[in-house]
Amino acid sequence: MHNGIIENYLDLKNFLKKKKYTFSSDTDSEVISHLINWSFKKSNNMDSALIETTNLLEGSYAIGIICSDDQGTVYAACKGSPLIIGKGVNQNYIASDLAPIISDTDKYITLDDNEFAKISSTKVTIFNKSKRIQNKVTKISNIIKISIFFIRPQALICIKKFMNNDSIIKDMTNRFVGKYKILPNIFGHGTDKVLETIEHIHFIACGTSYHASLVAKDWIEQHTTITCTAEVASEYKYKKINVLPNTLFVAISQSGETADTISSLKKALKLNYSDTLAICNVAESTLTRLSNLNFLMNAGPEISVASTKAFTSQLFASTSFNYDCFKKI
């Protein structure tokens, strides 16, 4: 199983074809399978095969592997794509987010970039790589704090979500708006003071969230002297970025697990932004863990494809960049 994009898969595919491997698809995921097989044949060790394979991969991946020579064990690795390990009683799981495991366990471990896991029904071993020397890693389990009702599907989901938009606006208004204006410091303690110095905002998002950022850009520039830029995350992460002084980086994602948006935030953390803010719907997501500031929409799950409640919530969050916050009228 593979979630992500292997950017050098064509070069690796040509290499494997010379090794007499036959491909039945055009996917980059199949390249990973054959690479692991090629490495395993040399070492007869899955740990070593997994490390050697990931050393050759360029791009992002969260992978789960089973081996017929080691039944009852799942191997996992990730870089740039989220992967969590759920810890149950005599059963363990891997997933890209909390939703698939929340009905079975309330404990999970987050696998970090360039880490590996060997998982059986009763044991989880995590290790990293250092010149192909395996080092065991000790990690503390996290406790899932969201309710199972947050992710439970309901009948007529899409239509129900359309009808819920008015209640979402009312709920967010009750939580974030006072008698005359938006409440102070809704991005966290003391954040209004931080935002007073902001002169530019760099929005990064994908899909529906990107369209919300375009609206946010228009609204903010109409009512303040803040200059805004909105970019698609899949383009931002490959570009040379010149960060102007006093610029806030804002990542928008419903799930908080959008791979391109996460990669862009990781890139932004290495640049000279004044601060980073995540506008997100999931409290325990990768995006919220990485960002310094967070705005949690609490709009409930977006189960069907049409992202209606999240879009409405993201637009509300855009109004939270208010005059009093920026002092840039």
Side-chain angles (χ1 to χ4, degrees):
M1 299 172 288
H2 168 226
N3 177 31
I5 299 173
I6 305 304
E7 296 170 1
N8 62 334
Y9 85 99
L10 284 177
D11 292 336
L12 294 173
K13 187 173 185 177
N14 290 332
F15 166 78
L16 289 165
K17 283 182 176 179
K18 292 177 182 178
K19 301 293 181 181
K20 308 302 181 183
Y21 279 88
T22 302
F23 289 81
S24 58
S25 74
D26 294 324
T27 66
D28 53 354
S29 302
E30 187 178 3
V31 170
I32 300 175
S33 298
H34 288 320
L35 271 178
I36 293 174
N37 178 266
W38 174 71
S39 298
F40 182 77
K41 285 181 177 179
K42 294 190 297 179
S43 64
N44 199 36
N45 182 283
M46 273 298 295
D47 294 11
S48 299
L50 193 53
I51 291 173
E52 182 175 13
T53 295
T54 55
N55 282 337
L56 298 172
L57 301 179
E58 296 176 7
S60 63
Y61 55 82
I63 50 180
I65 306 104
I66 56 175
C67 176
S68 59
D69 289 356
D70 192 3
Q71 296 185 21
T73 300
V74 174
Y75 293 84
C78 70
K79 179 184 177 183
S81 291
L83 195 150
I84 62 171
I85 302 168
K87 298 189 70 177
V89 178
N90 294 324
Q91 51 189 348
N92 296 305
Y93 318 86
I94 60 171
S96 60
D97 58 39
L98 298 176
I101 68 169
I102 194 171
S103 61
D104 297 296
T105 181
D106 64 348
K107 296 181 179 64
Y108 71 98
I109 297 171
T110 302
L111 203 64
D112 293 327
D113 284 357
N114 298 312
E115 286 186 341
F116 307 87
K118 184 176 181 179
I119 305 159
S120 68
S121 61
T122 58
K123 186 178 180 180
V124 175
T125 302
I126 299 175
F127 56 96
N128 56 28
K129 58 185 179 182
S130 176
K131 297 181 180 179
R132 299 191 181 184
I133 297 175
Q134 300 165 23
N135 301 303
K136 290 187 177 180
V137 177
T138 301
K139 288 199 166 189
I140 299 174
S141 297
N142 302 295
I143 303 298
I144 298 174
K145 298 176 182 178
I146 59 175
S147 168
I148 189 173
F149 295 103
F150 182 82
I151 54 94
R152 181 170 291 170
Q154 299 183 41
L156 302 174
I157 290 171
C158 196
I159 294 175
K160 182 178 176 64
K161 291 199 310 176
F162 294 154
M163 302 301 293
N164 278 351
N165 275 280
D166 60 341
S167 63
I168 291 297
I169 294 174
K170 290 176 183 177
D171 177 65
M172 297 189 78
T173 301
N174 290 335
R175 283 188 288 125
F176 298 117
V177 181
K179 187 174 182 180
Y180 299 110
K181 60 184 180 180
I182 290 175
L183 296 173
N185 299 314
I186 66 171
F187 300 128
H189 178 70
T191 50
D192 282 5
K193 195 70 176 176
V194 173
L195 295 177
E196 284 183 8
T197 62
I198 296 301
E199 298 177 352
H200 313 280
I201 301 176
H202 207 160
F203 288 103
I204 301 298
C206 294
T208 299
S209 298
Y210 170 67
H211 290 288
S213 73
L214 292 174
V215 177
K217 175 185 184 302
D218 183 57
W219 285 355
I220 293 170
E221 291 186 335
Q222 280 191 49
H223 297 292
T224 77
T225 59
I226 302 292
T227 302
C228 299
T229 303
E231 292 194 65
V232 179
S234 58
E235 297 178 2
Y236 171 91
K237 67 179 186 177
Y238 294 111
K239 293 172 60 177
K240 178 181 182 292
I241 305 297
N242 298 316
V243 181
L244 295 172
N246 302 319
T247 300
L248 175 69
F249 179 92
V250 180
I252 306 179
S253 170
Q254 187 284 130
S255 67
E257 303 296 352
T258 309
D260 286 334
T261 307
I262 292 171
S263 296
S264 296
L265 175 55
K266 289 179 178 178
K267 177 178 179 176
L269 290 170
K270 300 176 183 178
L271 300 176
N272 195 33
Y273 286 99
S274 296
D275 222 323
T276 58
L277 167 68
I279 297 176
C280 186
N281 196 31
V282 183
E284 299 179 49
S285 65
T286 302
L287 203 68
T288 56
R289 290 196 301 269
L290 290 173
S291 182
N292 185 40
L293 308 177
N294 289 288
F295 182 94
L296 296 176
M297 300 182 294
N298 293 318
E302 285 286 29
I303 299 169
S304 63
V305 173
S307 186
T308 53
K309 296 185 300 179
F311 183 71
T312 300
S313 302
Q314 289 164 354
L315 295 185
F316 184 98
S318 302
T319 67
S320 303
F321 294 98
N322 60 82
Y323 309 156
D324 293 330
C325 229
F326 287 117
K327 307 293 184 185
K328 301 288 182 184
I329 303 174

